[in-house]
Amino acid sequence: KEPMKNMATMVKLGRLTGKVVEETFIRNSDAEENRLKEFYAVLKIQSWFRAVRVRSYIKFLHQCAITIQRHWRGFLGRRAFRTLVKNSVFVMRMNFYNKMVVRIQKRWRGYYVRKYVHNYYARKRYLEGLQIKNQIVRSELNEYAEMHKRERDKRRQELEEKKEVYSARKNHYLLSTHQISGIYNSPYKPFPDEMEYRLMSVKPLSHKRPLKPRDSTMGLVDPSPPHAPPALPQSAPLPPIEKKKPQGPFRQPTEVYSQRYRPLEPTLRVATDYTSEEEARVAMKRQEWEGRINDNIFLPFTRRERPYSPLLHTTSQYGALPYGTKTFRQEKKETADDRFKLVCSPIPILEKFKETYSKGQVAL
């Protein structure tokens, strides 16, 4: 009986196997179709959850940092404020102390000056005496100024009087005569001019020079010392001869003498040595060598002595091309130890016969 039951179970299971297989296939196919969607959904949920968790953590860190910064900045601000208050209190105290010191000094100096230095009544008497003395000095100065003014007026009047007298003596020939009346004695006026009376009161100018008064004791008294032998009487020295300047455009003798005996003024070529250029160059090199720090002389790379390598486009199998030799100007290489120098120009007489010392210039 038991084998029969097993067989019946197997038959029953065989009948139900087709439905199970179909249902399993359908479920597997649905799972394969929805697997990618479920993956992206799970990925989005995970990313959102992780982002929320990270943002919450960052927010927590920001809150912690803000709290720390708030406490630290509050500490710094309170410390700075305490320092500011301390400095302000110190400044206020110093200002108050200085003010009190100035007030004490003011009171003490006032008391000291009033008691030992300044006396009001003595000062008043001194000022009154000074005022009286000033008035006296001012009055004396006014009198002195008036006296000087009178003296100046007197000197000016005397000078004007002398000028008028000199003018009258100079113009004495304008005086009226018995026959002819002068220009200051007009017949059309009732009285003559004041100048007419001045001309009458003065004498005309004399052209003769006044003679010096002669000494009356000349020849009678011996002017020599007592122990010396008697000297012969000497006559008065003759007056100097008036030297008139010769007429004509003549120069002064000093100017002619200075021009005739003036010192020589050699040219730069004569004053300098022939080898002055080389000596100056040697001295400059010596000074440069003494003052430099590095003994290795810097040589620029543009003047290196190396053989010339011809280019490809300037050479051929038939010889060198004239590129750079005929179409361009050649530069002559100068030597540093050139002993000969061109000093003067060629002689024109020898040029006519084509017998110059050298071509172009003379070489010494």
Side-chain angles (χ1 to χ4, degrees), residues 74-89:
F75 169 73
L76 292 179
R78 286 188 294 274
R79 188 173 66 178
F81 182 73
R82 282 195 296 270
T83 306
L84 180 62
V85 170
K86 188 184 295 184
N87 295 335
S88 301
V89 171

Side-chain angles (χ1 to χ4, degrees), residues 171-203:
N171 300 325
H172 192 270
Y173 60 91
L174 301 176
L175 182 65
S176 301
T177 59
H178 293 284
Q179 300 295 334
I180 302 174
S181 59
I183 59 175
Y184 298 108
N185 189 10
S186 176
Y188 302 101
K189 292 182 179 181
F191 300 100
D193 194 27
E194 183 181 359
M195 192 64 179
E196 182 71 16
Y197 296 104
R198 189 178 296 276
L199 294 175
M200 294 171 62
S201 62
V202 297
K203 296 181 179 180

Side-chain angles (χ1 to χ4, degrees), residues 277-291:
E277 184 179 357
E278 287 78 2
E279 293 176 357
R281 188 177 291 106
V282 170
M284 183 175 63
K285 288 184 178 180
R286 186 186 301 109
Q287 185 179 4
E288 182 181 0
W289 179 80
E290 292 175 355

Side-chain angles (χ1 to χ4, degrees), residues 272-338:
T272 56
D273 193 4
Y274 180 75
T275 59
S276 59
E277 184 179 357
E278 287 78 2
E279 293 176 357
R281 188 177 291 106
V282 170
M284 183 175 63
K285 288 184 178 180
R286 186 186 301 109
Q287 185 179 4
E288 182 181 0
W289 179 80
E290 292 175 355
R292 70 186 180 192
I293 300 175
N294 188 9
D295 292 338
N296 298 327
I297 302 176
F298 174 73
L299 298 176
F301 62 90
T302 55
R303 295 187 179 180
R304 291 181 294 179
E305 297 293 339
R306 56 185 179 183
Y308 172 74
S309 57
L311 302 177
L312 296 176
H313 63 275
T314 58
T315 58
S316 64
Q317 59 181 350
Y318 302 105
L321 298 177
Y323 180 82
T325 58
K326 293 184 179 180
T327 56
F328 298 100
R329 184 178 60 184
Q330 296 181 357
E331 295 183 0
K332 182 181 178 181
K333 186 176 181 181
E334 298 179 358
T335 58
D337 53 350
D338 190 9

Side-chain angles (χ1 to χ4, degrees), residues 6 12-13 39 50 53 76 129 135 151 164 202 210 219 221 276 285 288-289 311 335 340:
N6 292 331
K12 189 177 181 178
L13 289 175
F39 173 75
R50 291 172 181 172
R53 187 172 61 181
L76 292 179
Q135 293 178 359
E151 290 180 357
E164 291 179 357
V202 297
V221 179
S276 59
K285 288 184 178 180
E288 182 181 0
W289 179 80
L311 302 177
T335 58
F340 300 98

